[in-house]
Amino acid sequence: MFPRSFQAYPDSPNYDTEKRKFTNPQALRSVTFSDGASGVLKMLQGESQYAPKNKYPMMQPEWPLFLKDDDTSRFIWFGHSALLMRIAKQTVAVDPVLGPSVSPLLINMRRYQEPAAPVSAWPQVNVVLLSHNHYDHFEKETLKQLAAAKALFIVPLGMSEYLRPLGVDSMHIKELDWWQTVEHEGVRYTLVPAWHNSGRSLRDSNKSFWGGYIVQHADETVYYSGDTAYGPHFAEIGRRFPNISVAFIENGQYDRRWPDDHMTPDLTVQAAMDVKAQHIVPVHWGAYSMAFHSWNEPVLKSVPEMRARGLKPLTPYQGQVFDAGTETNMWFQDVE
């Protein structure tokens, strides 16, 4: 069920009090009704042509390595934007979506293969970071399980309206505006700008906010972009948070029909240049087809360009425990 009412946020510079909706600093091109309808029809008619024809390799998470407390931050990617981070003895779940479909219709946008490990196999999750409420970033059943585990949910403004019906206690929710920070047991979490939108139905468009995250502990800084159009916010994030060690940046699900919803590979590369991260992990690909490009096109285009421009991309297997120093390969090249 969707919330019946939404709180106003008059103190937020990103909230339009007249329209009672959140906004971006500059107007983004909206998806027209005809483009939206044609996109849905096209996906229903032939989604499989964009998915891998064969199973791709994955790894079973090596949990003892992931949980090893030696001051090294470690990560696991589960496809699309779903991540686990282990930072300063905290296990952090980022946009944990593992289900069979990321469509409200359930019959399309289906996961290519089972995730490397279900949530029931995960270690205790201490913190959940949610970037926004779209179906491919906000999965009710998974969040219910994490709510039962008493995790702390750090989310953009307005997201509590979607979490409380799932059993998340208000005491376990921290809502943030852009550039606001919350500290939890020595780790600082800051919501940073992402130019996007929100909504799970026609009735709740932009009623809750969106963003990416900076995670800091000691001298280490990790960045997660969330979903975003390209804009000057990347350079601003790079200025405010120098020495980002690992940046997880959106790379996939782009289409001419929604030019300002997601970045094309060349813009992903430019965003990576702007934030000046030491290592780049492309995300938002590898699990679901939500646009009309082959499943691996985003990284086939972006990774070589990143290397050509002096960046250091990391492309781990799904389920692989990795850190900033892990050597990875272009495993996706050999999967049809």
Side-chain angles (χ1 to χ4, degrees):
M1 294 180 64
F2 293 105
R4 296 179 181 176
S5 62
F6 293 88
Q7 179 181 339
Y9 295 88
D11 294 333
S12 171
N14 308 296
Y15 187 80
D16 187 322
T17 55
E18 292 185 4
K19 296 181 179 179
R20 296 183 64 86
K21 292 185 176 184
F22 287 94
T23 64
N24 292 291
Q26 83 179 39
L28 303 182
R29 289 168 290 182
S30 300
V31 181
T32 66
F33 178 82
S34 60
D35 276 348
S38 70
V40 171
L41 182 60
K42 186 174 181 179
M43 188 62 73
L44 290 173
Q45 290 176 337
E47 177 182 336
S48 62
Q49 64 185 297
Y50 309 110
K53 297 180 176 62
N54 302 307
K55 295 289 185 181
Y56 48 70
M58 295 193 302
M59 297 179 68
Q60 292 295 314
E62 191 177 346
W63 297 119
L65 174 60
F66 177 72
L67 296 171
K68 186 177 181 181
D69 292 323
D70 57 0
D71 297 325
T72 297
S73 296
R74 294 185 171 87
F75 314 94
I76 305 174
W77 176 56
F78 289 93
H80 204 64
S81 296
L83 302 164
L84 279 183
M85 301 181 179
R86 182 68 177 178
I87 298 177
K89 300 182 181 181
Q90 290 184 31
T91 297
V92 182
V94 181
D95 285 349
V97 174
L98 304 176
S101 170
V102 291
S103 166
L105 302 177
L106 300 178
I107 60 173
N108 65 324
M109 300 183 188
R110 299 189 63 80
R111 181 175 273 271
Y112 304 144
Q113 58 195 60
E114 291 293 318
V119 173
S120 60
W122 289 7
Q124 173 74 38
V125 171
N126 307 110
V127 174
V128 179
L129 302 180
L130 299 177
S131 63
H132 62 302
N133 69 357
H134 285 161
Y135 280 79
D136 57 319
H137 295 261
F138 186 103
E139 185 173 75
K140 288 184 177 181
E141 292 307 314
T142 296
L143 297 179
K144 286 179 181 178
Q145 294 181 63
L146 299 177
K150 307 299 182 185
L152 172 66
F153 286 74
I154 301 175
V155 299
L157 296 175
M159 290 278 285
S160 60
E161 295 296 327
Y162 298 88
L163 290 172
R164 284 195 293 265
L166 303 183
V168 184
D169 192 292
S170 296
M171 294 180 61
H172 295 153
I173 303 173
K174 298 292 186 182
E175 288 191 348
L176 302 177
D177 202 348
W178 289 349
W179 308 119
Q180 290 183 341
T181 295
V182 62
E183 184 168 324
H184 180 66
E185 297 182 358
V187 180
R188 290 170 56 85
Y189 299 92
T190 302
L191 187 74
V192 294
W195 290 9
H196 200 53
N197 53 76
S198 69
R200 293 175 67 84
S201 76
L202 297 176
R203 296 180 294 170
D204 65 343
S205 176
N206 295 347
K207 293 293 188 179
S208 62
F209 205 25
W210 48 86
Y213 288 93
I214 288 285
V215 183
Q216 296 171 288
H217 172 69
D219 296 329
E220 182 167 35
T221 301
V222 176
Y223 169 54
Y224 169 65
S225 72
D227 282 5
T228 180
Y230 178 76
H233 57 288
F234 288 110
E236 180 65 16
I237 290 167
R239 284 192 294 269
R240 293 197 187 202
F241 300 96
N243 302 316
I244 294 173
S245 57
V246 180
F248 297 86
I249 299 182
E250 173 206 292
N251 188 196
Q253 317 317 319
Y254 44 83
D255 188 80
R256 64 159 186 82
R257 296 169 177 82
W258 42 89
D260 287 341
D261 272 19
H262 302 295
M263 296 185 291
T264 51
D266 60 314
L267 293 177
T268 293
V269 174
Q270 186 58 56
M273 294 289 293
D274 291 352
V275 299
K276 300 178 181 178
Q278 297 169 28
H279 298 86
I280 310 295
V281 183
V283 295
H284 210 245
W285 70 283
Y288 308 94
S289 288
M290 303 176 64
F292 311 113
H293 55 68
S294 65
W295 73 284
N296 56 359
E297 177 186 287
V299 280
L300 289 174
K301 289 186 174 182
S302 66
V303 170
E305 181 62 20
M306 288 183 190
R307 290 177 175 157
R309 298 182 67 175
L311 297 170
K312 297 179 180 178
L314 299 174
T315 53
Y317 295 102
Q318 294 181 32
Q320 179 181 5
V321 177
F322 68 98
D323 59 52
T326 301
E327 292 188 8
T328 61
N329 59 61
M330 294 182 67
W331 57 269
F332 45 85
Q333 282 185 316
D334 302 322
V335 180
E336 293 185 3

